Coordinates of all heavy atoms in Angstrom, one line a residue:
L285 N 0.9 -1.2 0.0 CA 0.0 0.0 0.0 C 0.9 1.2 0.0 O 1.8 1.3 0.8 CB -0.9 0.0 1.2 CG -1.9 1.1 1.4 CD1 -2.9 1.1 0.2 CD2 -2.6 1.1 2.7
T286 N 0.6 2.2 -0.9 CA 1.3 3.4 -0.9 C 0.4 4.6 -0.5 O -0.8 4.5 -0.5 CB 1.9 3.7 -2.3 OG1 0.8 3.8 -3.2 CG2 2.9 2.7 -2.7
A287 N 1.0 5.7 -0.1 CA 0.3 6.9 0.3 C 1.0 8.1 -0.3 O 2.2 8.2 -0.2 CB 0.2 6.9 1.8
N288 N 0.2 9.0 -0.8 CA 0.7 10.3 -1.4 C -0.1 11.4 -0.9 O -1.3 11.3 -0.5 CB 0.6 10.2 -2.9 CG 1.6 9.2 -3.4 OD1 2.8 9.4 -3.2 ND2 1.2 8.2 -4.1
A289 N 0.5 12.6 -0.9 CA -0.2 13.9 -0.6 C 0.0 14.8 -1.7 O 1.0 14.9 -2.3 CB 0.4 14.4 0.7
A290 N -1.1 15.6 -2.1 CA -1.0 16.6 -3.1 C -1.6 17.9 -2.6 O -2.6 17.8 -1.9 CB -1.8 16.1 -4.3
L291 N -1.0 19.0 -2.9 CA -1.5 20.3 -2.5 C -1.7 21.1 -3.7 O -0.9 21.2 -4.6 CB -0.4 20.9 -1.6 CG -0.7 22.2 -0.8 CD1 -1.8 21.9 0.2 CD2 0.5 22.7 -0.1
R292 N -2.9 21.7 -3.8 CA -3.3 22.5 -5.0 C -4.0 23.7 -4.6 O -4.9 23.7 -3.7 CB -4.2 21.7 -5.9 CG -4.6 22.4 -7.2 CD -5.4 21.6 -8.1 NE -4.6 20.5 -8.7 CZ -3.8 20.6 -9.8 NH1 -3.7 21.7 -10.4 NH2 -3.2 19.5 -10.2
R293 N -3.7 24.9 -5.2 CA -4.4 26.1 -4.9 C -5.9 26.0 -5.3 O -6.2 25.3 -6.2 CB -3.8 27.3 -5.7 CG -2.7 27.9 -5.0 CD -2.3 29.2 -5.8 NE -1.1 29.7 -5.2 CZ -1.0 30.9 -4.6 NH1 -2.0 31.6 -4.4 NH2 0.2 31.3 -4.1
F294 N -6.7 26.8 -4.6 CA -8.1 26.8 -4.9 C -8.4 27.2 -6.3 O -9.2 26.7 -7.0 CB -8.9 27.7 -3.9 CG -9.2 27.0 -2.6 CD1 -8.7 27.5 -1.4 CD2 -10.1 25.9 -2.5 CE1 -8.9 26.9 -0.2 CE2 -10.3 25.3 -1.3 CZ -9.8 25.8 -0.2
D295 N -7.6 28.2 -6.8 CA -7.9 28.8 -8.1 C -7.1 28.0 -9.2 O -7.2 28.3 -10.4 CB -7.5 30.2 -8.2 CG -6.1 30.5 -7.9 OD1 -5.3 29.6 -7.8 OD2 -5.8 31.7 -7.7
E296 N -6.3 27.0 -8.8 CA -5.6 26.1 -9.7 C -4.7 26.9 -10.6 O -4.4 26.5 -11.7 CB -6.5 25.2 -10.4 CG -7.3 24.3 -9.5 CD -8.0 23.2 -10.2 OE1 -7.7 22.9 -11.4 OE2 -9.0 22.6 -9.7
S297 N -4.3 28.1 -10.2 CA -3.4 28.9 -11.1 C -1.9 28.6 -10.9 O -1.1 29.2 -11.6 CB -3.6 30.4 -10.8 OG -3.2 30.7 -9.4
S298 N -1.6 27.8 -10.0 CA -0.2 27.4 -9.8 C -0.1 25.9 -9.8 O -1.1 25.2 -9.7 CB 0.3 27.9 -8.4 OG -0.4 27.2 -7.4
P299 N 1.1 25.4 -10.0 CA 1.3 24.0 -10.0 C 0.9 23.3 -8.7 O 1.0 24.0 -7.7 CB 2.8 23.8 -10.3 CG 3.4 25.1 -10.0 CD 2.4 26.1 -10.1
S300 N 0.6 22.1 -8.7 CA 0.4 21.3 -7.5 C 1.7 20.9 -6.9 O 2.7 20.8 -7.6 CB -0.6 20.2 -7.7 OG 0.0 19.3 -8.6
F301 N 1.7 20.6 -5.6 CA 2.9 20.1 -4.9 C 2.6 18.7 -4.5 O 1.5 18.4 -4.0 CB 3.2 21.0 -3.7 CG 3.4 22.4 -4.1 CD1 2.3 23.3 -4.2 CD2 4.7 22.9 -4.3 CE1 2.6 24.6 -4.5 CE2 4.9 24.2 -4.7 CZ 3.8 25.1 -4.8
M302 N 3.6 17.8 -4.6 CA 3.3 16.4 -4.3 C 4.4 15.9 -3.3 O 5.5 16.4 -3.2 CB 3.5 15.5 -5.5 CG 2.6 15.9 -6.7 SD 0.9 15.5 -6.4 CE 0.9 13.8 -6.4
A303 N 4.0 14.9 -2.5 CA 4.9 14.3 -1.5 C 4.5 12.9 -1.3 O 3.3 12.5 -1.4 CB 4.8 15.1 -0.2
T304 N 5.5 12.1 -1.0 CA 5.2 10.7 -0.6 C 5.2 10.6 0.9 O 6.0 11.2 1.6 CB 6.3 9.8 -1.2 OG1 6.3 9.8 -2.6 CG2 6.1 8.3 -0.8
I305 N 4.2 9.9 1.4 CA 4.1 9.8 2.9 C 4.9 8.7 3.4 O 4.9 7.6 2.9 CB 2.6 9.6 3.2 CG1 1.7 10.8 2.7 CG2 2.4 9.4 4.7 CD1 0.3 10.6 2.9
A306 N 5.7 9.0 4.4 CA 6.6 8.1 5.0 C 5.9 7.0 5.8 O 4.7 7.1 6.1 CB 7.6 8.8 6.0
G307 N 6.6 5.9 6.1 CA 6.0 4.8 6.8 C 5.3 5.2 8.2 O 4.4 4.6 8.6
D308 N 5.8 6.2 8.8 CA 5.3 6.7 10.1 C 4.1 7.7 9.9 O 3.6 8.2 10.8 CB 6.4 7.3 10.9 CG 7.0 8.6 10.4 OD1 6.6 9.0 9.3 OD2 7.9 9.1 11.0
G309 N 3.8 7.9 8.6 CA 2.6 8.8 8.3 C 3.0 10.3 8.1 O 2.1 11.1 7.9
T310 N 4.2 10.6 8.2 CA 4.6 12.0 8.1 C 4.9 12.4 6.6 O 5.3 11.5 5.8 CB 5.8 12.4 8.9 OG1 6.9 11.6 8.6 CG2 5.5 12.2 10.4
F311 N 4.8 13.6 6.3 CA 5.2 14.1 5.0 C 5.5 15.6 5.1 O 5.2 16.3 6.0 CB 4.1 13.9 3.9 CG 2.9 14.7 4.1 CD1 2.7 15.9 3.5 CD2 1.8 14.1 4.9 CE1 1.5 16.6 3.7 CE2 0.7 14.8 5.0 CZ 0.5 16.1 4.5
R312 N 6.3 16.1 4.1 CA 6.7 17.5 4.1 C 6.7 18.0 2.7 O 7.2 17.3 1.8 CB 8.1 17.6 4.7 CG 8.7 18.9 4.8 CD 10.0 18.9 5.4 NE 10.6 20.3 5.4 CZ 11.2 20.8 6.4 NH1 11.3 20.1 7.5 NH2 11.7 22.0 6.4
I313 N 6.2 19.2 2.5 CA 6.2 19.9 1.2 C 6.8 21.2 1.4 O 6.3 22.1 2.2 CB 4.7 20.0 0.6 CG1 4.1 18.6 0.5 CG2 4.8 20.7 -0.7 CD1 2.6 18.7 0.1
D314 N 8.0 21.4 0.8 CA 8.7 22.7 1.0 C 8.4 23.7 0.0 O 7.9 23.4 -1.1 CB 10.2 22.4 1.0 CG 10.7 21.5 2.1 OD1 10.3 21.8 3.3 OD2 11.5 20.6 1.9
D315 N 8.7 25.0 0.3 CA 8.7 26.1 -0.6 C 7.3 26.3 -1.2 O 7.2 26.6 -2.4 CB 9.7 26.0 -1.7 CG 11.1 25.9 -1.1 OD1 11.4 26.6 -0.1 OD2 11.9 25.1 -1.6
V316 N 6.3 26.2 -0.4 CA 4.9 26.5 -0.9 C 4.6 28.0 -0.7 O 4.7 28.5 0.4 CB 3.9 25.6 -0.1 CG1 2.5 26.0 -0.6 CG2 4.2 24.2 -0.3
P317 N 4.2 28.7 -1.8 CA 3.9 30.1 -1.7 C 2.7 30.3 -0.8 O 1.8 29.4 -0.7 CB 3.6 30.5 -3.2 CG 4.1 29.4 -4.0 CD 4.1 28.2 -3.2
P318 N 2.6 31.5 -0.2 CA 1.4 31.8 0.6 C 0.1 31.7 -0.2 O 0.1 31.9 -1.4 CB 1.6 33.2 1.0 CG 3.1 33.5 0.9 CD 3.5 32.6 -0.3
G319 N -1.0 31.3 0.5 CA -2.3 31.2 -0.2 C -3.2 30.1 0.4 O -2.8 29.5 1.4
E320 N -4.3 29.9 -0.2 CA -5.3 28.9 0.2 C -5.2 27.7 -0.7 O -5.1 27.8 -1.9 CB -6.7 29.5 0.2 CG -6.9 30.7 1.0 CD -6.7 30.4 2.5 OE1 -7.3 29.3 3.0 OE2 -6.1 31.2 3.2
Y321 N -5.1 26.5 -0.1 CA -4.9 25.3 -0.8 C -5.9 24.2 -0.4 O -6.5 24.3 0.7 CB -3.5 24.8 -0.6 CG -2.4 25.7 -1.1 CD1 -1.9 26.7 -0.4 CD2 -1.9 25.4 -2.4 CE1 -0.9 27.5 -0.9 CE2 -0.9 26.2 -2.9 CZ -0.4 27.3 -2.1 OH 0.6 28.1 -2.6
V322 N -6.0 23.2 -1.2 CA -6.7 22.0 -0.8 C -5.6 20.9 -0.8 O -4.9 20.7 -1.7 CB -7.8 21.6 -1.8 CG1 -8.3 20.2 -1.5 CG2 -8.8 22.6 -1.9
L323 N -5.5 20.2 0.4 CA -4.6 19.1 0.6 C -5.4 17.8 0.3 O -6.4 17.7 1.0 CB -4.0 19.1 2.0 CG -3.2 17.9 2.4 CD1 -1.9 17.8 1.6 CD2 -2.9 17.8 3.8
T324 N -4.9 17.0 -0.5 CA -5.5 15.7 -0.7 C -4.6 14.6 -0.4 O -3.4 14.6 -0.9 CB -6.0 15.5 -2.2 OG1 -6.8 16.5 -2.6 CG2 -6.7 14.1 -2.4
V325 N -4.9 13.7 0.6 CA -4.1 12.6 1.0 C -4.8 11.4 0.5 O -6.0 11.1 0.8 CB -4.0 12.6 2.5 CG1 -3.2 11.4 3.0 CG2 -3.3 13.9 3.0
R326 N -4.1 10.6 -0.3 CA -4.6 9.3 -0.9 C -3.8 8.2 -0.4 O -2.6 8.2 -0.4 CB -4.6 9.4 -2.4 CG -5.3 8.2 -3.0 CD -5.5 8.4 -4.5 NE -6.2 9.6 -4.9 CZ -7.5 9.7 -4.9 NH1 -8.3 8.6 -4.5 NH2 -8.1 10.8 -5.3
L327 N -4.5 7.1 0.0 CA -3.9 5.9 0.6 C -3.4 4.9 -0.5 O -2.8 4.0 -0.2 CB -4.8 5.2 1.6 CG -5.2 6.0 2.8 CD1 -6.1 5.3 3.7 CD2 -3.9 6.5 3.6
D328 N -3.8 5.2 -1.8 CA -3.4 4.4 -2.9 C -3.2 5.2 -4.1 O -4.1 5.8 -4.6 CB -4.5 3.3 -3.1 CG -4.1 2.4 -4.3 OD1 -3.2 2.7 -5.0 OD2 -4.8 1.4 -4.4
D329 N -1.9 5.3 -4.6 CA -1.6 6.3 -5.6 C -2.2 5.9 -7.0 O -2.1 6.6 -7.9 CB -0.1 6.5 -5.7 CG 0.7 5.3 -6.1 OD1 0.1 4.2 -6.2 OD2 1.9 5.4 -6.3
R330 N -2.8 4.8 -7.1 CA -3.4 4.4 -8.4 C -4.8 4.9 -8.5 O -5.5 4.6 -9.5 CB -3.5 2.8 -8.5 CG -2.1 2.3 -8.7 CD -2.1 0.8 -8.6 NE -2.2 0.6 -7.1 CZ -2.2 -0.6 -6.5 NH1 -2.2 -1.7 -7.3 NH2 -2.3 -0.7 -5.3
G331 N -5.3 5.7 -7.6 CA -6.6 6.3 -7.7 C -7.8 5.6 -7.1 O -8.9 6.1 -7.0
G332 N -7.5 4.3 -6.7 CA -8.6 3.5 -6.2 C -8.8 3.6 -4.6 O -9.7 3.1 -4.1
G333 N -7.8 4.2 -4.0 CA -7.9 4.2 -2.5 C -8.7 5.4 -2.0 O -9.1 6.3 -2.7
A334 N -8.8 5.4 -0.7 CA -9.6 6.4 0.0 C -8.8 7.7 0.0 O -7.6 7.8 0.1 CB -9.9 6.0 1.4
A335 N -9.5 8.8 -0.3 CA -8.9 10.2 -0.3 C -9.5 11.0 0.8 O -10.7 11.0 1.0 CB -9.1 10.8 -1.6
V336 N -8.6 11.8 1.5 CA -9.1 12.8 2.5 C -8.7 14.1 2.0 O -7.5 14.3 1.6 CB -8.4 12.5 3.8 CG1 -8.8 13.5 4.9 CG2 -8.8 11.1 4.4
R337 N -9.6 15.1 2.0 CA -9.3 16.4 1.6 C -9.5 17.4 2.7 O -10.4 17.2 3.6 CB -10.3 16.9 0.4 CG -9.9 16.1 -0.8 CD -10.8 16.6 -2.0 NE -10.4 16.0 -3.2 CZ -10.8 14.7 -3.6 NH1 -11.6 14.0 -2.8 NH2 -10.4 14.2 -4.7
R338 N -8.6 18.4 2.8 CA -8.6 19.3 3.9 C -8.1 20.7 3.3 O -7.2 20.8 2.5 CB -7.6 18.9 4.9 CG -7.5 19.8 6.1 CD -6.5 19.3 7.0 NE -6.9 19.3 8.4 CZ -6.2 18.9 9.4 NH1 -5.0 18.4 9.2 NH2 -6.7 19.0 10.6
R339 N -8.8 21.8 3.8 CA -8.4 23.1 3.4 C -7.1 23.5 4.2 O -7.1 23.2 5.4 CB -9.5 24.1 3.7 CG -9.2 25.5 3.3 CD -10.3 26.4 3.6 NE -10.0 27.7 3.2 CZ -10.8 28.6 2.7 NH1 -12.1 28.3 2.6 NH2 -10.4 29.8 2.4
V340 N -6.1 24.1 3.6 CA -4.9 24.5 4.2 C -4.6 25.9 3.8 O -4.7 26.3 2.7 CB -3.7 23.6 3.7 CG1 -2.4 24.1 4.3 CG2 -4.0 22.1 4.1
S341 N -4.2 26.7 4.8 CA -3.8 28.1 4.6 C -2.4 28.3 4.9 O -1.9 28.0 6.0 CB -4.7 29.0 5.5 OG -4.3 30.4 5.3
V342 N -1.6 28.8 3.9 CA -0.2 29.1 4.1 C -0.1 30.6 4.3 O -0.4 31.3 3.4 CB 0.7 28.6 2.9 CG1 2.1 29.0 3.1 CG2 0.5 27.1 2.7
P343 N 0.3 31.0 5.5 CA 0.3 32.5 5.8 C 1.3 33.3 5.0 O 2.3 32.8 4.5 CB 0.7 32.5 7.3 CG 1.4 31.2 7.6 CD 0.9 30.2 6.6
D344 N 0.9 34.5 4.8 CA 1.8 35.5 4.0 C 2.4 36.5 5.0 O 2.2 37.7 4.9 CB 0.9 36.2 3.0 CG 1.7 37.1 2.0 OD1 3.0 36.9 2.0 OD2 1.2 37.9 1.3
D345 N 3.1 35.9 6.0 CA 3.7 36.8 7.0 C 5.2 36.9 6.9 O 5.9 37.3 7.8 CB 3.3 36.3 8.4 CG 3.7 34.9 8.6 OD1 4.5 34.3 7.8 OD2 3.4 34.3 9.7
G346 N 5.8 36.4 5.8 CA 7.2 36.4 5.6 C 8.0 35.4 6.3 O 9.2 35.3 6.2
S347 N 7.3 34.6 7.1 CA 7.9 33.5 7.9 C 8.2 32.3 7.0 O 7.5 32.0 6.1 CB 7.0 33.1 9.0 OG 7.5 32.0 9.7
S348 N 9.3 31.6 7.4 CA 9.6 30.3 6.7 C 9.4 29.2 7.7 O 9.9 28.1 7.5 CB 11.1 30.3 6.3 OG 11.9 30.5 7.4
E349 N 8.6 29.4 8.7 CA 8.2 28.4 9.7 C 7.3 27.3 9.1 O 6.5 27.6 8.2 CB 7.5 29.0 10.9 CG 8.4 30.0 11.7 CD 9.5 29.3 12.4 OE1 9.3 28.2 12.9 OE2 10.6 29.8 12.3
M350 N 7.5 26.1 9.5 CA 6.7 25.0 9.1 C 5.2 25.2 9.6 O 5.0 25.7 10.7 CB 7.3 23.7 9.7 CG 6.6 22.5 9.2 SD 7.4 21.0 9.7 CE 7.6 21.1 11.4
V351 N 4.3 24.8 8.7 CA 2.9 24.8 9.1 C 2.5 23.3 9.5 O 2.6 22.4 8.6 CB 2.0 25.2 7.9 CG1 0.5 25.1 8.3 CG2 2.3 26.7 7.5
D352 N 2.2 23.1 10.7 CA 1.9 21.8 11.2 C 0.4 21.6 11.0 O -0.4 22.3 11.5 CB 2.2 21.7 12.7 CG 2.0 20.3 13.2 OD1 1.4 19.4 12.6 OD2 2.5 20.0 14.4
L353 N 0.0 20.6 10.2 CA -1.4 20.3 9.9 C -2.0 19.4 11.0 O -3.2 19.1 10.9 CB -1.5 19.6 8.6 CG -0.9 20.4 7.4 CD1 -1.0 19.6 6.1 CD2 -1.6 21.7 7.3
G354 N -1.2 18.9 11.9 CA -1.8 18.0 12.9 C -2.1 16.7 12.3 O -1.5 16.2 11.3
L355 N -3.1 16.0 12.9 CA -3.5 14.7 12.4 C -4.5 14.9 11.3 O -5.5 15.5 11.4 CB -4.2 13.9 13.6 CG -4.6 12.5 13.3 CD1 -3.4 11.6 12.9 CD2 -5.3 11.9 14.5
V356 N -4.2 14.3 10.1 CA -5.1 14.3 9.0 C -5.9 13.0 8.9 O -5.3 11.9 8.7 CB -4.4 14.6 7.7 CG1 -5.4 14.6 6.5 CG2 -3.6 15.9 7.7
E357 N -7.2 13.0 9.2 CA -7.9 11.8 9.3 C -9.0 11.8 8.2 O -9.5 12.8 7.8 CB -8.6 11.6 10.6 CG -7.6 11.5 11.8 CD -8.3 11.2 13.1 OE1 -8.7 10.0 13.3 OE2 -8.6 12.2 13.8

């Protein structure tokens, strides 16, 4: 079983960002511009697995701090 995460802007004007989820369930997507996004986590990268979607806001405060999404269920 594989797991992937994708991040896409609401207006879809920018490229999406992809990450492979580690065995412990963590993932990281670096260098995401500020804005509103939809995070999609899929448990099977062939499209047949369950997908969870969540709204994510990356702040425009000039910070390079990590945004912790907490538990995505």
Side-chain angles (χ1 to χ4, degrees):
L285 182 66
T286 58
N288 291 298
L291 192 63
R292 180 177 294 275
R293 272 188 190 246
F294 278 115
D295 61 13
E296 298 188 22
S297 65
S298 67
S300 61
F301 300 88
M302 303 292 290
T304 299
I305 299 173
D308 65 359
T310 60
F311 65 92
R312 181 178 176 134
I313 302 174
D314 293 317
D315 302 321
V316 177
E320 299 296 317
Y321 294 85
V322 174
L323 172 70
T324 303
V325 176
R326 185 172 302 280
L327 298 178
D328 180 347
D329 62 358
R330 289 167 287 179
V336 175
R337 288 183 177 81
R338 179 186 226 182
R339 183 180 178 143
V340 175
S341 180
V342 177
D344 188 12
D345 59 6
S347 171
S348 62
E349 294 295 315
M350 182 171 57
V351 176
D352 186 350
L353 301 177
L355 183 63
V356 178
E357 297 185 81

